[in-house]
Structure formats: structure tokens, C-alpha cells
Amino acid sequence: MFEFLFKRPGDKPDEVPAGQGAQQDPPAGPASSQRALQAEQVKALAGDEAAAVEFILHSEFSELRLAAAEHVHSPGQLERVHAAIRNTDRRVAKLMQSRLDAIRHHEAELARGRACIEQAEALLKDDKLTPNHVAELDRKWSVISAPQLSEQFASVRGALAQRLEQQVRLQRSVLDSVTALRQLGGAGLPAGELAQRLEQMAQAHAAALAAPEHGSLPRHLLREFDSEHARLTASLAALEQGQSAAAARASALAEWQAGEPASLNAETLKKTWQQLAPLPDAEEAARLQQQFDALLATLPQVERKPKARPAQERPAAPQPPGQHFLDTLDAMEAALQQGSLASAAEMDKALKDGKGARLTPALSERLAHARAELKRLSDWARWGGNVSREELIKAVEQLPVQKLAMSELAKKVGSMRERWKALDTLSGAAPKSLWERFDAACGAAYAPAAAHFKHLADERHTNAAKAQALVAEAASAAAALDGAQDVDWKQLAASVQHLRLAWMHLGAIDRKEKKRLDHEFTAALNVLQAPLEQRRKAEVAEREELIEQAAALDARERHALDTLRSLQERWQEHARALPLERKAEQALWQRFRAACDAVFAKRKESAHAADAERRTHEQAKEALCARLEAAAPGVDAAGAGKLLREAASEWHAIGAVPRAHEARLEKRYHAAVAALQHQADTARRNAGLAQAGALRDKLRLCQEIEAALARLDDQQGATEDWDARWAALPALSQEYEQVLHARFTAARNAFGDGREAYARLLEENRPKLLHDTLRLEIAAGVDSGSEFARERLKLQVEALQSSLKSGQKPLTQGAQFLQLCAMPALADARTASRIEQLFTRIAREGK
């Protein structure tokens, strides 16, 4: 009933005794077979993504899950695996996340590429395509990685390039047309050829305006072409009129020269000649005038007799002209020759004031010719002035539709009025109708500018009021700062910055008030800035100290990163408490960041060195594992123990390995150690079984020789060669060999005189042998049989009481069994079998 006190955990009642059955190794565990089966499933996946996903979700082996993850590529399956495995398998989750990120990046690049292509197509449809738009498009495409869309973008980009090339050619053609028009003005072409060339250029310009890319033509280029074309058209009209006038004068001269001189009247010819249209070409006019003067010289002169006047009404005899008159006449002719009508008119007025001079016929002819030329040129100037005024009126009437800037519009209107005044000086006063048209056109064109300038004046007054309010705000802030104990420096800096920006964005102010307001605002702002600048100097010193501390950090220290993070947090606190000037803030931040980057760089270098060292450690551990795996098959128990001790010492002496490979190496090492330990245990168990067999044989030999001694009438035992039989048996361990050899020697020496005494000893020790055997069976948990149940129970109670009273530690089962083997006693077959079964149990448990 007290058997439970002597039962050991794991003991089974049906264990087979030594020698009654062959020992078998335990079967392989189910995990290894399951792993091999799932490894075959991974090999059979062959790109089946759905099967791979199901395998990953249901497999318990991380390496096999990682191998199966190589077959998963679609976004939906990647999302499914990542959501299910992200908290259980970091490597598979990281692989899924990296592939999802790559897919999302690729899709984002495609979306950006399509947006870029859509923009290119929109630019292709835009009438006002500009090169900067295409350049911006190229810049966007240059940072996009979408090879699938390259061909589509290249086609659209080629169409854009063709449009830009067409724009360049069109602008070049219009620019060449403007240059050709300018060259036509000084080419001196006949009227017909000039009209033909102008018509051709007008047609080419109309074709350019009708071209698809006409929207890209610069407006100033079109205005220059129109103005040049209008000027040449006006000069063409004047040239045609001059040619018709020259033809009329030439035909009149030819008709007069063909007639009879006697039938011609000089006065009539002069009147007719003066009534003809003047010539614009002075050389042509002088040539025809010389021919006309030559014709007049051939005609007979009619002498007119002056009417008789009363004596009292006759004027005094005229005096001959003086040198001043001659100089004035020369100056008048020179002015006419140079085309200076104003100077010529002044000279003519001076000549008219000088009355009373008697002129010779030659001087009279010169004066009449000069005045006729002055009248002709004045008439032409008046006509040309009216034409120019008409063009000027048209130009002023076109100003409102040109959408010029207001300042440029005001300058244009002012320049137009100045040109009108200049025309009044050069070509005489204009007709009243032209002046009214011009003045009305100038007023209408200048009206938007007048409204704009009035609006600007109102804005200046408003800005002055805003400036005064800012001055008051600055003065109020300065008064609040005076005497304040706790100053919010950040708020003060923000107020100063706000005042500065508001003052910078005020806009225009009248110059009279601007100087006063600037002085008042600067004075108020200086009051605010003085303590702020002092505080900023202290803040700069603190930032400098933080930079020095960051630069002085040793990157190899363990807490260097923590210290650096605390410095960065302090920097952020200072930056939030009081921002410095942007330039100073940026310069200090760059220095602080450089110091932090230097620490991180050194840490990175140390990390690289540590990584290299970890890789070296990994190689050393890999070599150690390989050595253990290679030594496992043929190692004995003693060699296995030594190798395991050396491997454990070497394994712990090797440093850390990369964290990603640490679990794999630990698993491999423990697997190799387990294999080697298993091999050592197997060798030790086999050696133990061999020792148990040898001990059984020698114990049986001792029992046999003792049984022969007990049989006193048996003489055969004395003559048998017991030593040969002992020598034929294998040796035991030292302690068992000594004990059994001493027992065997004592029995062998007992043959002779001491045989009877030794036989009595053997018989006397029989009960003690049975008692010790039963006690060992109780201790080892071996069944003794039903016939020994009472004695077994009694011994169990006695052993329990003895252990409770004495408190001494009992002998081990091995020591007790050694004492049992050393005891010479007779044993029957049943007792011998019990002793062998007991030793088998003790040898198996290694006790």
C-alpha cells in the first residue's frame, strides 16, 4: 500500500529487463515528418499563387512560409497575406510589404506618367503654346519612371516639338517681313514696284496671321509690321502724287516749249506754273524750275509803264539793299535748300520788315524764287502734316484696344500730344476739325489712365492711414514692453515681424508723408527691437553652446545617441521659445545639423564595423556548427563530452552575430548539440549495456564457483580452470572489477582446507542477500513478486521511519548494488534473476 512512496516519475511496470529484448531507438518525432511533408508541398507549388497563400496561412514553419512567399505577387493576395501574418512572421510580412510598396510605387509612377501625357495632350490642343510650358513638361517627365508610357509620351512630345518649330519659323518669317519693310523705306524704288512689294508683303503677313500658330506671334512684332506698312503706304501715296505732279509739270513744259514763243505770255505761264501741284523731290523740282526759268528767258519781256502819281504822293527814292539783306536772303535760300521751313519763314519775315530797299531785277528774281519755293514747301508741309495728323489720330484711336499698361498708356498719350505740337511747329496750325478729333481721341484714350491714377492716389491716402495705424500699434507695443517683467519673446518677435511685413506691404504713399511716417515707425520699432536683440544674442550664445556640446560628443559612447536626442530636443525648445533672424537661424541650424550628422556618421561607421565583426562571428559560429555536425556520426561518449564542452566554451566566447541570423544559428547549434548528445547517449547506453552483460556474466561466474564450493562432495569444482573462464570474460569498470575479482579470488582460494568454513559463510549470507535485494528493488521501483509482498511492505515502512528519524542521506543505488555484488552468498535461480533485472534497471538509469 506504500508503493507510491517509492515509485519514480516515468516508471512503467511493463519494462523489459536487460537481455530479454533488443534495445530500439525512439521513433522520429511527428514535427520532423510534418516539416518534410510541407517542404514537399512548397516544392510542388510551381507558381500557384492561391495554393502558396493557403500554405502560408496554415503552415507553422517560418522557413517554409518564406519559401512559399516567393510565389505571391498579385496585390490582392499580398494584402491578404500581409494582414494575416504581420504580427506572427516578420520576414514574410516584410517581404509582402516591400512588394506592395513596389507595386504602389509603380502604380503611382504610371498615374504621374498618365497625368503628364494628359498635360502634353492639353498643351497640344492649346492655341497659345509656349516653350516654357514644354520645358516644364519635360522637367516633370524626367523624374517619372514609366517605361510603358515612354512611346506614347514620345509621340505627343514630338507633336509639341513640331508645333514649336512651326512657331519659330512663323516668328522668323514675320521678323524678316518687318526687316524687309524697313529696308524698303530707304531703297528708293519706283511707286509701282514699291506698291507691288507692299502688296506681296501684306499677303504674306495675312497668310502668317491665318496660320495655325498665329497666336504665338509677339504683339509688338505685329504692331511694328502694321506701323511700318502704314508708313510705307502713306509714303507711297505721297510718292504717287509727287510723280503725277512731276508728270504734269513736265508735260506743261513740253507743251510750252513746242509752241511759238511769240504766242506765249510770261505772266500767264508763271500763274499756271504756280498753280500746279508742288513736287516732293527737291532735285526734280529744281531741275524743272531751271527748265521753266530757261523757257521764260526766251520769251519777250513786256515793259509796264508805271502810273503817274501826284507829286505829293510819290515816295522817296528807294535805297539799294545792304549787306544784311543779302545775308538774310542767303540764309533763307540755305534754309530752303536744307528743308528748314521754320527758319526760312523767319528769314522771309525779316526780309518783309526791311522795306524801302531798291532791289535789282536779279535780287527780285532771287527773292521771288525763294518765296515761291517757301510757299511750295509750306504747302507740301501742310499737306504732309495733315496726313501725319490723320495717322496720329488713327494711332490714338487704336490705343484703347491695345490693352497697354496704364503708365505706358499715359506716356503714349503724352508723346502723341507732343508730336501734334511738333507738327504745328513744322507744318503750321491744324484745322479745327482735326484738332477736335485728336483732342477727343486723346481724352477717350487717357480716361482709363486718369481713373487708374485717381485710384492710385486714393490708395496712397489709404496706405498712409494704414501706415499711421501701424505706427500707433508699434508705439503701443513699445509702451506695453516698458517695465514688463515676464516677456513673451516669441510673441514679441512675431509682433516685430508682423509689423515689418505689414510695413513692407503697405504700398505707395505720398512722398511728403512717407519720410515722416518712416521716421516715426523706425523709432517705435527700435524701442521694441532693443530688448529683443539682447535676448537674441543670449539665445545665439546658448545655441553655440549646444553646437559645441554636439561636436564634443563621442560617438562610441553607449549613451551618445540619447545625449544627442536630448540636445536636439533642447534646440527645438529654444527654437519654439524664440525664433532668431532667418539668416542667423539657418546658419546656426546648419552648423548644429552638421555636428549631429558627424555623430551619426561616426555611429554609422561603428555600426558598419560592428556589422563586419558580427558577420565574422557568424562565420565562426557557422564553422563551429559544421564541425559539430561533421563529428556527430562517429563520436564516442568520452569524445562527445569533451567536444561538447569545448564547443560550448567556444560558442560563448564568440561575440554577437547579425540579429536576422541569430535565431537560425541558435537553432542550428542546438540541433548539432542535440545530435551529438544523442550520439553520445547512444554510445553511453550501448557501453552500459555491454558493461551490464559483462557484469552479469562475471556475477554468474562468482555465483557458480560459490555454488560449487557449497557442494562439499563435488570434487569437479576444484579441478575446473576457473581462472581461464574469468580471463575470457571482458573487463568491467574499476570498482566492479575490484569487488567481483576479490569475491572470485576468495571463492577460488577456498577450495581446500577452508572450504567448509566458506560454505557456511555463503549459507549464512543467503538471508542478508535476499534482504538487500528486496531493499534495492524497493528503492529502484522494481516489482519483487507476490511472494515477497509482506516483506517488501515491512521494509518500506522501516525505510520511511528510518529516513524520518535519522535525517541522514542514504546511499545511492549504485553503491548499494556494489555492496550487494561484494557479498559472497548462495543465490537460487530466482534470486539471481532478480539481481540481474535490478542491475539492468540501475545501469539503464545511470545510477
Side-chain angles (χ1 to χ4, degrees):
M1 61 180 292
F2 292 99
E3 290 182 1
F4 69 94
L5 296 174
F6 305 98
K7 295 282 287 183
R8 293 177 55 83
D11 291 343
K12 297 181 180 179
D14 55 348
E15 288 181 345
V16 181
Q20 296 183 10
Q23 296 293 324
Q24 297 181 354
D25 292 336
S32 59
S33 61
Q34 185 71 13
R35 182 187 186 91
L37 179 62
Q38 292 189 10
E40 294 297 328
Q41 293 178 3
V42 172
K43 294 179 181 178
L45 289 176
D48 189 353
E49 190 175 29
V53 171
E54 293 299 329
F55 180 86
I56 293 171
L57 297 181
H58 296 91
S59 176
E60 63 272 16
F61 300 105
S62 60
E63 290 82 3
L64 299 182
R65 287 197 299 267
L66 184 62
E70 297 296 332
H71 302 280
V72 183
H73 298 283
S74 63
Q77 300 290 8
L78 290 172
E79 290 282 357
R80 180 184 174 190
V81 174
H82 182 265
I85 207 95
R86 63 182 177 182
N87 294 327
T88 57
D89 195 330
R90 186 178 63 181
R91 292 187 297 172
V92 175
K94 186 175 181 181
L95 178 61
M96 299 296 103
Q97 185 64 50
S98 64
R99 289 183 178 175
L100 284 172
D101 292 342
I103 292 173
R104 290 175 185 141
H105 176 72
H106 180 66
E107 291 176 352
E109 289 295 312
L110 288 179
R112 291 173 61 193
R114 294 189 188 100
C116 197
I117 291 175
E118 291 176 0
Q119 183 183 358
E121 292 175 349
L123 288 177
L124 191 59
K125 297 176 182 178
D126 192 359
D127 294 337
K128 297 181 179 179
L129 178 65
T130 56
N132 57 337
H133 291 161
V134 180
E136 180 67 18
L137 178 68
D138 291 339
R139 186 190 64 79
K140 289 182 179 179
W141 181 260
S142 63
V143 296
I144 295 174
S145 175
Q148 300 89 336
L149 303 176
S150 297
E151 184 175 355
Q152 184 179 359
F153 178 79
S155 62
V156 182
R157 181 61 179 82
L160 290 174
Q162 290 179 1
R163 283 196 58 186
L164 291 177
E165 186 176 356
Q166 292 175 4
Q167 289 182 4
V168 171
R169 288 199 298 267
L170 185 62
Q171 293 177 9
R172 175 56 60 186
S173 64
V174 175
L175 186 61
D176 293 342
S177 299
V178 173
T179 305
L181 281 177
R182 291 173 179 170
Q183 293 175 355
L184 280 179
L189 298 177
E193 185 178 355
L194 181 60
Q196 183 180 2
R197 295 287 297 276
L198 287 176
E199 181 64 24
Q200 292 175 354
M201 291 185 177
Q203 293 176 358
H205 187 64
L209 293 178
E213 301 297 334
H214 69 278
S216 64
L217 292 174
R219 292 183 179 179
H220 72 277
L221 203 60
L222 298 178
R223 289 196 297 269
E224 288 182 7
F225 182 88
D226 293 339
S227 62
E228 287 294 328
H229 193 272
R231 184 181 64 81
L232 289 177
T233 303
S235 65
L236 176 62
L239 182 60
E240 290 177 347
Q241 291 180 1
Q243 289 181 355
S244 62
R249 287 179 179 263
S251 63
L253 279 175
E255 182 182 355
W256 292 338
Q257 290 174 354
E260 292 293 335
S263 62
L264 298 176
N265 188 352
E267 294 296 332
T268 304
L269 293 182
K270 288 181 179 180
K271 291 180 180 180
T272 304
W273 183 262
Q274 292 178 357
Q275 290 175 357
L276 293 176
L279 297 178
D281 191 357
E283 295 181 359
E284 183 68 16
R287 185 179 64 80
L288 293 177
Q289 184 66 35
Q290 289 178 0
Q291 294 180 6
F292 180 72
D293 293 340
L295 177 62
L296 290 179
T298 60
L299 297 180
Q301 299 292 328
V302 179
E303 295 183 2
R304 295 182 179 180
K305 294 182 179 180
K307 294 181 180 181
R309 293 185 180 182
Q312 62 273 14
E313 294 180 0
R314 292 178 183 175
Q319 300 295 327
Q323 186 63 35
H324 178 69
F325 183 87
L326 297 176
D327 292 340
T328 305
L329 182 58
D330 292 338
M332 180 179 177
E333 291 176 343
L336 291 173
Q337 187 69 25
Q338 296 175 1
S340 179
L341 297 181
S343 299
E346 292 292 333
M347 300 302 174
D348 183 51
K349 184 178 180 181
L351 291 175
K352 288 180 180 179
D353 292 340
K355 297 180 180 179
R358 182 169 58 84
L359 302 178
T360 62
L363 287 177
S364 298
E365 185 66 24
R366 284 180 60 190
L367 183 58
H369 179 71
R371 285 177 175 171
E373 183 67 16
L374 177 61
K375 183 177 181 304
R376 183 183 68 82
L377 293 178
S378 298
D379 292 340
W380 271 109
R382 188 176 297 107
W383 177 82
N386 291 336
V387 172
S388 299
R389 289 187 181 95
E390 289 287 350
E391 295 294 332
L392 198 59
I393 292 172
K394 291 180 181 179
V396 174
E397 289 174 347
Q398 291 177 357
L399 286 178
V401 299
Q402 292 181 3
K403 297 181 180 180
L404 300 174
M406 293 298 123
S407 58
E408 186 178 356
L409 179 61
K411 291 180 181 179
K412 285 278 187 181
V413 174
S415 65
M416 295 295 182
R417 289 188 178 276
E418 292 297 329
R419 288 173 61 186
W420 185 277
K421 291 180 181 179
L423 287 175
D424 286 346
T425 303
L426 296 176
S427 57
K432 184 177 180 181
S433 59
L434 287 179
W435 163 248
E436 291 175 351
R437 284 178 55 196
F438 176 74
D439 187 58
C442 287
Y446 189 72
H452 173 71
F453 293 139
K454 184 177 182 302
H455 177 68
L456 291 181
D458 294 339
E459 282 189 349
R460 286 195 293 273
H461 290 301
T462 304
N463 293 336
K466 292 180 180 179
Q468 192 65 49
L470 287 177
V471 171
E473 182 180 354
S476 175
L481 182 64
D482 189 14
Q485 298 296 329
D486 189 9
V487 180
D488 188 352
W489 298 107
K490 183 177 181 179
Q491 182 64 30
L492 179 59
S495 300
V496 171
Q497 185 69 12
H498 163 70
L499 290 172
R500 281 184 175 178
L501 292 177
W503 190 265
M504 290 172 58
H505 294 88
L506 271 177
I509 302 176
D510 288 336
R511 189 174 298 176
K512 296 183 298 181
E513 299 182 2
K514 176 69 174 173
K515 187 174 182 180
R516 176 183 61 81
L517 291 172
D518 280 340
H519 178 71
E520 294 178 359
F521 180 77
T522 303
L525 199 62
N526 287 337
V527 175
L528 287 175
Q529 282 185 322
L532 182 61
E533 290 299 328
Q534 294 294 329
R535 179 60 186 170
R536 278 180 171 168
K537 289 180 181 179
E539 186 69 22
V540 168
E542 293 179 0
R543 303 278 181 93
E544 292 283 355
E545 183 178 356
L546 291 178
I547 293 171
E548 292 177 359
Q549 292 179 8
L553 280 177
D554 187 1
R556 294 170 297 180
E557 291 183 359
R558 181 177 180 181
H559 302 290
L561 290 182
D562 296 336
T563 306
L564 189 61
R565 291 191 184 95
S566 65
L567 290 177
Q568 291 176 343
E569 291 175 358
R570 288 173 58 191
W571 184 281
Q572 295 298 330
E573 291 175 359
H574 284 288
R576 286 191 294 268
L578 176 60
L580 304 177
E581 293 290 341
R582 183 175 181 82
K583 183 182 289 187
E585 181 83 32
Q586 193 69 17
L588 290 171
W589 168 248
Q590 290 295 339
R591 291 174 55 197
F592 181 71
R593 183 177 178 181
C596 295
D597 290 344
V599 175
F600 283 119
K602 292 178 181 178
R603 293 283 296 187
K604 190 173 183 181
E605 292 177 0
S606 301
H608 285 318
D611 289 342
E613 185 178 0
R614 290 190 184 97
R615 286 193 292 271
T616 304
H617 295 164
E618 179 184 5
Q619 295 173 0
K621 288 193 174 184
E622 291 278 4
L624 178 59
C625 292
R627 192 164 70 250
L628 291 177
E629 291 167 352
V635 71
D636 55 358
K642 180 180 180 182
L643 183 58
L644 285 174
R645 289 191 298 274
E646 293 176 354
S649 176
E650 185 177 352
W651 180 270
H652 292 298
I654 298 174
V657 300
R659 186 169 297 177
H661 302 163
E662 185 176 2
R664 178 180 60 81
L665 286 174
E666 288 286 343
K667 186 175 182 180
R668 182 180 178 185
Y669 171 72
H670 289 303
V673 169
L676 192 61
Q677 187 67 45
H678 174 72
Q679 187 69 21
D681 293 342
T682 302
R684 190 180 297 108
R685 185 168 57 252
N686 294 334
L689 292 176
Q691 286 288 316
L695 177 62
R696 181 185 65 241
D697 294 339
K698 288 194 174 184
L699 185 59
R700 285 179 180 178
L701 182 60
C702 290
Q703 292 173 351
E704 185 178 349
I705 192 173
E706 289 173 352
L709 282 172
R711 294 190 298 271
L712 298 176
D713 57 347
D714 185 6
Q715 298 299 324
Q716 183 180 358
T719 61
E720 190 172 352
D721 191 359
W722 297 103
D723 292 334
R725 292 179 61 185
W726 179 271
L729 296 177
L732 300 176
S733 61
Q734 183 177 1
E735 52 185 5
Y736 281 101
E737 184 70 25
Q738 291 178 357
V739 169
L740 290 177
H741 188 267
R743 179 177 176 180
F744 173 77
T745 302
R748 184 176 55 78
N749 293 333
F751 282 101
D753 296 337
R755 183 173 183 176
E756 294 180 359
Y758 201 80
R760 287 194 300 271
L761 176 64
L762 294 174
E763 187 64 30
E764 291 174 358
N765 287 338
R766 182 194 295 266
K768 184 172 177 30
L769 176 65
L770 292 175
H771 180 272
D772 291 346
T773 301
L774 184 59
R775 185 176 60 184
L776 276 174
E777 286 176 344
I778 294 172
V782 178
D783 187 19
S784 302
S786 58
E787 64 272 21
F788 300 103
R790 184 178 296 277
E791 290 82 359
R792 183 183 178 100
L793 178 60
K794 183 179 179 181
L795 284 177
Q796 286 177 348
V797 173
E798 291 177 357
L800 178 61
Q801 292 176 350
S802 175
S803 63
L804 292 175
K805 290 179 180 180
S806 63
Q808 296 179 356
K809 186 176 180 180
L811 296 176
T812 63
Q813 293 180 10
Q816 294 177 12
F817 186 77
L818 188 63
Q819 291 179 0
L820 184 66
C821 292
M823 182 190 306
L826 294 177
D828 55 8
R830 171 65 173 157
T831 304
S833 175
R834 289 170 58 194
I835 293 173
E836 291 178 2
Q837 184 179 0
L838 181 63
F839 181 70
T840 302
R841 168 61 67 85
I842 294 174
R844 182 182 301 171
E845 294 181 357
K847 299 179 181 180

